[in-house]
Amino acid sequence: MNKPVLLVVDDDPQVLAAVRRDLRTKYRESYTVMSAGSGPEALAAARELKSRGDSLAMVISDQRMPGMLGNEVLAKAREVYPLARRVLLTAYSDIEAAVRAINEAHVDHYLSKPWDPPEECLFPVIDDLLEEWQAEYLPEAKGLRLVGHQWSPRSHAIKDFLASSLIPYRWLDISRGPDVRALLDASGVGDHELPALLFEDGSVLRNPEPRQVAERLGKSLSAKLDVYDLVIVGAGPAGLAAAVYGASEGLKTLMLDRHAPGGQAGTSSKIENYLGFPQGVPGSDLARRALAQAQRLGAEVLAPVEVTGVAIEGGYKRLKFADGHPVVTKTMLVATGMIYREHPARGVAEHAGGGVYYGAATTEAPAFRDRRVIVVGGGNSAGQGALHLARYAKDVQLVVRREHLQSTMSHYLIDQIDKTPNIHLRPWTEIRQVEGDGRVERVTFESVKDGGCQVEEADALFVFIGTRPHSDWLPPEVLRDAKGFVLTGRDVIAAEAYKRLWKESREPAPLETSVPGIFAAGDVRAGAMNRVASAVGEGSMVVRLVHEYLGVT
Ligand SMILES: Cc1cc2nc3c(=O)[nH]c(=O)nc-3n(C[C@H](O)[C@H](O)[C@H](O)COP(=O)(O)OP(=O)(O)OC[C@H]3O[C@@H](n4cnc5c(N)ncnc54)[C@H](O)[C@@H]3O)c2cc1C
């Protein structure tokens, strides 16, 4: 197989030669550097690469070119190679055009000319983008392949696990052609054994649980130590931040997640408001970076491992798991976030994982190319989900109970939705029923205003409403509010049971729960801000409090 290509586009021969020279110096071993003198020439080259089955890792295009501007070249290149990273070269005076391009052409980065020295101004950006591309890209004939039925909940569970564990794989729907059937026959897999996971070495896992997949992929699911300083339950932004600080400050730190690192943020197609990422960052990318950072600094991470209970034994906490031996820790962070509530409409439960999905737009979107899907919810997560699905589906119906999105969704998302022709807002509407034979085929919409119903064809329902905290696994000593959110700090002191439960001579620390040494951070905490940045902030803060606690006990 040929090396992946980096394609540079500029009408100025001198600039073109300079970029080409710099890129070759650093990347020639692993990539082929190609160049084009205009947009049409670059797009022709991209199509030619595609027809040969070659990979395009990155397009770097100058903005100001006669005939076709750089942002147009990048937008068009995306249609041919959706995963290729796109970089715009701009003069300082063109920054406005660059920002527009980020929003309109989904450009990954803009570089201001000149970029001297390349070691500081060019290579770190390119390294970062190529690392992201490598994490997503899978050569045609290589890697993991998952074969199954699109409407099978088990297929969805494995896809979701692989995607959120950031393991590249290729999804092959059994109904999509004779090649897939031939592949199964060659691997000796029967229909009743689907979904099947086919490995590069020819081995097969038949109808596996996510846990078996993790074990087969060499992920350890047992803790290395008997006692930890800090065990973090939940590897969303709050847990990941605590793992980074805990490990970097020398605490014996273990982080567990029942699913995979990333949490809700990991399911977001693009987080646009997290500090330091001017062009937004896909949630999976943020999770991948944070996980790598936590592990490099020495945190131990186990997933999928579900914590089912905690026993308080003197100053120690003993964590129990759905599978495996308990783990003992001096302090614990509850960072288990939130989960979507089950939608109450008729027929939803029967189709869960088989056409009804909870917040799984990034995992399932490609399967709904040219189909009609429904997104339920008016919050930012629903907006992001709808925009992501609109890249694939022919029609996305966004269903909300209110008149509009203004009071529930951020302005930047409303703007993008307005500009996306295949997203249609359905105000004053609820979903009453979902029907279909083994898959979603029809949905009944009900008007909130007059109760009138309308049945329409649809292929999937993506639910983004009604969250509840993941806190039912905690013992009663950890106080929660009426909705199940964990009380910390002053809220603990204000609780009725405070005097009965709290026997320390000091008051609970700001993020400490009603059990000394158990802390809570992020969305699971009463009064949380439900943002990536606030979860990260709280997770980071907890480590300081853990130090103080360990210092005094
Ligand atoms: C689709 C979507 C888009 C979003 N976009 C944005 C955005 O653009 N900007 C923004 O600021 N915020 C956004 N948010 C909100 C943001 O993602 C959350 O506020 C943030 O993820 C909360 O982090 P957390 O660590 O508290 O919890 P979570 O992210 O919910 O993570 C909790 C983790 O705990 C694990 N867990 C739960 N129970 C157990 C158990 N018993 N044992 C082990 N593990 C367990 C879960 O598997 C999960 O991984 C978005 C949310 C969604 C769903």
Side-chain angles (χ1 to χ4, degrees), residues 174-442:
I174 182 74
S175 65
R176 295 268 167 123
D179 290 2
V180 184
R181 175 64 62 188
L183 178 68
L184 277 191
D185 291 346
S187 311
V189 178
D191 263 11
H192 61 289
E193 294 170 310
L194 295 178
L197 201 55
L198 313 185
F199 293 83
E200 229 177 308
D201 64 2
S203 60
V204 181
L205 269 186
R206 293 149 207 265
N207 194 15
E209 298 268 357
R211 197 180 161 84
Q212 290 167 284
V213 177
E215 276 164 349
R216 173 65 180 74
L217 290 169
K219 287 176 162 256
S220 166
L221 297 179
S222 322
K224 289 198 188 117
L225 307 179
D226 293 331
V227 181
Y228 288 85
D229 295 322
L230 171 63
V231 171
I232 300 161
V233 187
L240 284 161
V244 165
Y245 279 95
S248 70
E249 293 177 17
L251 297 174
K252 286 179 197 142
T253 304
L254 170 69
M255 179 166 63
L256 311 157
D257 200 288
R258 69 178 204 156
H259 189 45
Q264 295 170 70
T267 68
S268 162
S269 46
K270 199 167 193 193
I271 298 167
E272 307 226 26
N273 50 8
Y274 189 58
L275 188 72
F277 292 89
Q279 52 277 72
V281 56
S284 57
D285 234 52
L286 195 64
R288 180 175 57 76
R289 285 159 190 264
L291 177 65
Q293 195 175 10
Q295 287 179 313
R296 183 178 63 77
L297 292 166
E300 198 182 322
V301 182
L302 305 181
V305 169
E306 177 162 12
V307 180
T308 50
V310 192
I312 321 293
E313 300 175 355
Y316 291 91
K317 290 94 194 151
R318 182 181 296 272
L319 275 71
K320 292 176 225 151
F321 304 120
D323 289 288
H325 295 294
V327 162
V328 174
T329 179
K330 294 176 193 164
T331 67
M332 182 177 105
L333 171 62
V334 180
T336 40
M338 292 207 289
I339 188 172
Y340 293 107
R341 270 180 213 282
E342 207 156 87
H343 195 289
R346 277 195 303 278
V348 163
E350 293 93 291
H351 291 96
V356 171
Y357 305 101
Y358 287 88
T362 46
T363 310
E364 291 294 345
F368 291 93
R369 189 177 291 285
D370 300 328
R371 295 182 186 235
R372 186 169 197 247
V373 303
I374 293 163
V375 171
V376 190
N380 282 355
S381 52
Q384 286 181 14
L387 283 164
H388 188 69
L389 284 159
R391 289 167 58 180
Y392 301 88
K394 71 167 182 251
D395 179 35
V396 179
Q397 299 278 318
L398 180 55
V399 174
V400 290
R401 297 190 76 239
R402 298 169 188 249
E403 184 186 1
H404 43 60
L405 300 168
Q406 263 72 10
S407 58
T408 51
M409 196 179 284
S410 295
H411 191 64
Y412 74 92
L413 286 169
I414 299 177
D415 267 3
Q416 288 181 36
I417 286 173
D418 283 348
K419 287 185 195 146
T420 309
N422 57 337
I423 300 183
H424 300 103
L425 183 67
R426 273 186 107 121
W428 303 120
T429 306
E430 274 191 348
I431 300 295
R432 185 52 55 220
Q433 185 170 6
V434 172
E435 294 169 282
D437 188 9
R439 51 173 287 190
V440 172
E441 289 170 301
R442 281 173 310 283

